[in-house]
Structures are given as C-alpha cells and as structure tokens.
Amino acid sequence: MLPDLFSDLPPPDGDLATAPLTAIDEGAVLIRGGITRHAEHLLSDIRSLTAQAPLRRLYTPGGGLMSASLSCCGTVGWVSDQRGYRYQRTDPLSGRPWPALPASWSQLAAQAAGRAGYAGFVPNSTLINRYGRRAEMGLHQDRNEGDFSAPIVSFSLGLACLFLWGGSTRSQRPRRIPLTHGDVVVWGGPSRLFFHGIAPLPDGTHPLTGPCRYNLTFRHVRP
DNA sequence: TAGTAACT
DNA sequence: AAAT
C-alpha cells in the first residue's frame, strides 16, 4: 500500500486538553485529533438532528447549486438562496425553529476555543455540512455573523480533505492543509475574516462515515 | 455572494 | 474579473 496524502499526520490523541496544537496563522490553530474520542457521539447527534432538519443542498444568490449538503442547529441557522446569505431563526424547509444546539457540542466547541486562546466562546449556531463524493466548498469568508470578536470553531469527521486556507483578500493563493477525522480548526482575531474553503473530496471510505465527510462549524451570531 | 463560465 |  502506497502512503497517501495524509499518512504523515501524527496519530489522533482524541482529547481537546492534550491533543497537539499547531499554529496555522495569526489567530488560527489546528488541534489534531482533538475530538476523535467524541466522534461516535457527535455522529449519533448529527443523525438525530438531521432527522428533524434534513440535510439539503442550497443555491447561492448567483444561482449555483452547492455540492455540499447542510443543515443547522441553534437559535439561528445559516441559509443561502436567491435573496442572499443570512442567518434566520427558522428552517425554510419546515418553517419551524432549528433544533437546539446540544449542550455537549457547545461545551466541546468552547473547550477548543479556549485551547486556541479564545476564552468564553459561547456558540449559538452550528452549521452541519456533509461532503459526499467530489463535493467541495469554494473560497469564501464567514461574514454574516454580526459578531467578529468571536472565533469560528470547526470539527472534521470522517473522510480526510484538503482545507484551503487563504488570507484577507481573495487574490491570496490558499495553502492546502490536510484535515482528518477528529481534527479541530479554530480561527479568530486577525484571521477571523480570512478566506477559506474545501478542495473536492478525494475518493475513499471511512469506517464511521463511509464515503463522506461531516463538518460542524460553530459560530456566535449577533441576532 | 460559500458557484460558475470564461478566460489566461 | 464580473455577474448578482
């Protein structure tokens, strides 16, 4: 078996308190394997949450269909359609409020943020992204939250991917950072509005998720 | 405009 | 780069 793109990563530690922390940029860190030991619990929660608010593909305002599927939980959820990007209190599919953000998720996200130097992070919205075969996410900024003092906390589950990490302008060529099952990325402060994205998902199968990657992105949104 | 076409 |  030939070594793959990701085989030189250290083995996952699984604990946010002790997993190895790498600086990516000013205000941005990668915690390798920080949530590995919580993966099955998180995936089980994703199953029950997406039974209430199904994963769905959204249209961008320009009319493009996103290749990743998403859902939300928390007091507000991110949506995109012909009218633009926004956070709203209800799921447009059902008209009902989004499912509550599980307390265990909020605690893990806060612990990750604290490890990255952002004390007191209290997320009120989580975007649940599912990347299937060849799904990707173009370079973008998370800029609809209203509160840019709070960081973004991102959990990776399942198939490995290449995280595209750019800069404050779209023209800066992004670095490609491998993310594997259990990895956590936190960015805020000077890099809070940096462009980022996901390269097309490589083929593969993960024991816990099959041919897909899940990503949980925690935010604090000023309603 | 979190995507895409249409360039180079 | 430009459309929306």
Side-chain angles (χ1 to χ4, degrees), chain A residues 19-64:
Chain A
L21 186 149
T22 309
I24 295 176
D25 212 327
E26 206 178 333
V29 302
L30 165 59
I31 307 172
R32 281 185 177 152
I35 52 151
T36 309
R37 74 175 52 177
H38 304 284
E40 296 190 40
H41 174 79
L42 290 166
L43 288 165
S44 165
D45 288 345
I46 289 170
R47 276 190 292 275
S48 65
L49 289 165
T50 58
Q52 302 165 67
L55 291 159
R56 83 294 302 263
R57 292 172 69 186
L58 297 182
Y59 286 91
T60 61

Side-chain angles (χ1 to χ4, degrees), chain A residues 158-169:
Chain A
L159 271 192
C161 72
L162 290 175
F163 183 52
L164 307 173
W165 178 251
S168 60
T169 67

Side-chain angles (χ1 to χ4, degrees), chain A residues 8 14 23-24 45-46 48 51 56 66 124 138-140 155 158 161 173 180 186 222:
Chain A
D8 57 343
I24 295 176
D45 288 345
I46 289 170
S48 65
R56 83 294 302 263
M66 296 176 72
N124 62 358
L139 271 192
H140 67 280
F155 292 176
C161 72
R173 190 170 54 148
T180 61
V186 181
R222 207 180 299 275

Side-chain angles (χ1 to χ4, degrees), chain A residues 10-209:
Chain A
D13 174 278
D15 188 336
L16 276 169
T18 54
L21 186 149
T22 309
I24 295 176
D25 212 327
E26 206 178 333
V29 302
L30 165 59
I31 307 172
R32 281 185 177 152
I35 52 151
T36 309
R37 74 175 52 177
H38 304 284
E40 296 190 40
H41 174 79
L42 290 166
L43 288 165
S44 165
D45 288 345
I46 289 170
R47 276 190 292 275
S48 65
L49 289 165
T50 58
Q52 302 165 67
L55 291 159
R56 83 294 302 263
R57 292 172 69 186
L58 297 182
Y59 286 91
T60 61
L65 181 60
M66 296 176 72
S67 56
S69 303
L70 69 87
S71 183
C72 302
C73 62
T75 59
V76 292
W78 184 85
V79 297
S80 171
D81 60 22
Q82 218 163 31
R83 297 169 39 211
Y85 303 143
R86 65 195 174 275
Y87 285 90
Q88 62 176 52
R89 295 188 168 277
T90 55
D91 178 351
L93 280 186
S94 67
R96 303 195 319 264
W98 298 102
L101 206 170
S104 59
W105 288 24
S106 187
Q107 185 179 0
L108 288 172
Q111 191 181 359
R115 185 88 197 283
Y118 301 100
F121 177 59
V122 182
N124 62 358
S125 180
T126 302
L127 191 51
I128 303 168
N129 289 298
R130 180 190 186 278
Y131 293 82
R133 186 178 178 78
R134 306 307 289 172
E136 63 188 305
M137 183 91 60
L139 271 192
H140 67 280
Q141 298 170 297
D142 293 6
R143 62 172 190 183
N144 299 102
E145 293 73 31
D147 179 6
F148 301 131
S149 64
I152 301 291
V153 175
S154 171
F155 292 176
S156 289
L157 295 164
L159 271 192
C161 72
L162 290 175
F163 183 52
L164 307 173
W165 178 251
S168 60
T169 67
R170 192 184 280 280
S171 59
Q172 286 173 257
R173 190 170 54 148
R175 293 151 60 196
R176 305 195 335 268
I177 300 173
L179 294 182
T180 61
H181 182 252
D183 286 352
V184 176
V185 181
V186 181
W187 66 97
S191 57
R192 170 62 179 76
L193 290 170
F194 276 21
F195 283 87
H196 58 280
I198 297 293
L201 197 71
D203 290 324
T205 306
H206 188 278
L208 292 183
T209 64

